[in-house]
Amino acid sequence: MSSYPPSSPAQPTTLRQRLAGLRGPAVPPRPLDARALAALAANPGCGRRALLDGAGVDKTALASALGSPAAFGQSQFAIVRGNSFEAKVKGDGGAELLRLVHEHLGAGAEPPGRDALVPDLAAAGPEGRAARTALALREATGAKAWTLLDHPMLALEVAGSPAYLEPDAVVVHPDGRWTVVEIKSFPMIDGSADAAKVGAAARQAAVYVLALEKTAGKLAGAEVGHTVLLVCPKDFSNLPTASAVDVRRERSVTRRQLERLTRVEDLAAALPAGLSFDPARTAEELAEAVAAVDASYAPECLAACELAFHCRERARAADEVTALGRSVRGELGALTTVEAALAAAAGASPAGDPTADALHHAARLRAEALRSAEEAAACPC
């Protein structure tokens, strides 16, 4: 029986009001960042994450209210260390950062000097900062001079809802090329860093590249470079070093996946009136609200989504094969539950299903192999 009152107030007339109602009237929206967008693009079939992220719901608070909290984020020590390293890289007007960009991606241009530009990007609110960044990019491209944009604000539409993104830096070259710079605190030892961390940084940078392309498309002479600069501490010191990372593959994958996302207004329109993810509601009401939105759980979600533990528990309770991984789900075709897959392996499924026949054949081969092993072990010779 639904815990929501049968006589709900009329639906809000605007999408912004509807999303505010989903968050809760007193809950401010949680902005999307590039890391969240990269994770969202990795699982475009999950309507639950698309709606919650699009509405600005705080998934950490929601997971805690559901009784399935997930520990995410960096330690305070790592945050302080990262901020200290970034300040060192950008010190003295960004001279060291511009030197690294010229060294790795200069393409024969004159090295940046003391006349390099560092425009002020301060403005009111994310929309104002995004507009100020767009203007600074236009001016820097027209000036044909080395320009460092420190923490610019970029806008990108995701599932019909605007997302505001803040890269560490964007450098404008004298030839009009724009380069995304990612500053990370993990070390680069002997010229290479941890592959998993570099991959995560590349996916994050690809989101910034997509956002920059929206602005560059309106400006003659501007070009967004598909090679980003990753700046890290050298070996075990605090000295910066850098490596150029080609993100064309990550950019293509992310763009394709983001285009596949269902629009937030379509997801919101399909929800019952009065439904809300307000953390002030009871755990039963929140569980019902979350269950009203389709999810696409996979084990990879555990490293990227705050609701992963809740979704895993529900997937296991429903006996869904998605809990075993996307590759398993893809191989099993129409067999969507573990029970159905085991029945097919035992030969209980109707004949003619290629997946069921293949499972049954594999189970017979396994049984024969086990019998042969047992007979070999029991042989006294």
Side-chain angles (χ1 to χ4, degrees):
M1 181 176 179
S2 173
S3 59
Y4 292 101
S7 56
S8 300
Q11 288 273 49
T13 56
T14 68
L15 177 62
R16 179 170 296 183
Q17 290 174 323
R18 177 63 169 137
L19 297 183
L22 291 175
R23 290 191 304 271
V27 180
R30 186 177 181 86
L32 274 171
D33 57 19
R35 186 174 300 175
L37 283 181
L40 183 60
N43 190 8
C46 187
R48 182 175 297 170
R49 173 147 198 172
L51 177 67
L52 295 176
D53 282 348
V57 173
D58 187 342
K59 298 195 297 298
T60 300
L62 180 59
S64 297
L66 289 168
S68 302
F72 274 81
Q74 292 179 305
S75 67
Q76 191 63 34
F77 173 76
I79 293 174
V80 171
R81 182 182 61 187
N83 291 340
S84 173
F85 178 68
E86 181 176 339
K88 180 180 180 65
V89 172
K90 293 179 178 177
D92 193 20
E96 179 64 12
L97 178 55
L98 290 171
R99 185 192 69 78
L100 290 170
V101 173
H102 177 265
E103 177 184 337
H104 292 272
L105 300 170
E110 289 292 324
R114 291 289 178 180
D115 57 345
L117 306 176
V118 185
D120 182 8
L121 302 179
E127 294 181 4
R129 290 185 58 199
R132 180 67 188 91
T133 296
L135 178 60
L137 286 167
R138 179 186 297 274
E139 292 173 346
T141 303
K144 299 185 182 301
W146 287 102
T147 305
L148 169 63
L149 275 64
D150 186 6
H151 283 289
M153 185 66 74
L154 310 176
L156 180 66
E157 184 176 295
V158 180
S161 182
Y164 293 98
L165 314 171
E166 188 176 3
D168 293 327
V170 171
V171 172
V172 179
H173 299 242
D175 60 1
R177 188 158 38 99
W178 302 350
T179 293
V180 172
V181 178
E182 275 290 277
I183 303 174
K184 299 296 183 183
S185 59
F186 56 81
M188 193 174 293
I189 301 173
D190 292 334
S192 63
D194 181 87
K197 294 180 179 179
V198 172
R203 290 189 293 272
Q204 187 174 337
V207 177
Y208 299 137
V209 169
L210 285 174
L212 277 175
E213 287 178 340
K214 299 293 183 181
T215 303
K218 305 173 185 176
L219 182 59
E223 177 189 359
V224 182
H226 294 156
T227 300
V228 305
L229 192 70
L230 177 62
V231 181
C232 299
K234 182 178 182 181
D235 298 327
F236 300 100
S237 70
N238 200 38
L239 299 175
T241 187
S243 176
V245 181
D246 191 327
V247 298
R248 281 178 293 185
R249 183 178 66 84
E250 289 81 2
R251 168 194 166 278
S252 298
V253 171
T254 302
R255 183 182 64 178
R256 183 170 62 252
Q257 301 293 59
L258 289 178
E259 288 174 349
R260 289 176 55 195
L261 288 173
T262 305
R263 296 179 66 83
V264 171
E265 54 262 44
D266 297 335
L267 294 169
L271 298 178
L275 182 143
S276 174
F277 304 102
D278 189 344
R281 290 185 179 254
T282 66
E284 291 75 16
E285 288 177 319
L286 290 174
E288 184 179 349
V290 170
V293 189
D294 290 336
S296 178
Y297 171 77
E300 294 86 347
C301 296
L302 294 172
C305 183
E306 295 86 344
L307 282 179
F309 290 101
H310 174 82
C311 295
R312 181 179 66 175
E313 180 182 339
R314 294 299 183 270
R316 287 176 173 175
D319 203 32
E320 296 176 357
V321 296
T322 51
L324 303 177
R326 292 194 184 98
S327 60
V328 176
R329 175 68 186 89
E331 292 288 343
L332 292 179
L335 303 174
T336 58
T337 66
V338 175
E339 182 181 358
L342 292 175
S349 296
D353 184 341
T355 303
D357 292 343
L359 276 176
H360 185 44
H361 180 62
R364 288 201 311 269
L365 291 176
R366 179 180 182 275
E368 291 174 5
L370 289 176
R371 272 197 309 272
S372 298
E374 290 174 357
E375 291 171 357
C379 179
C381 53

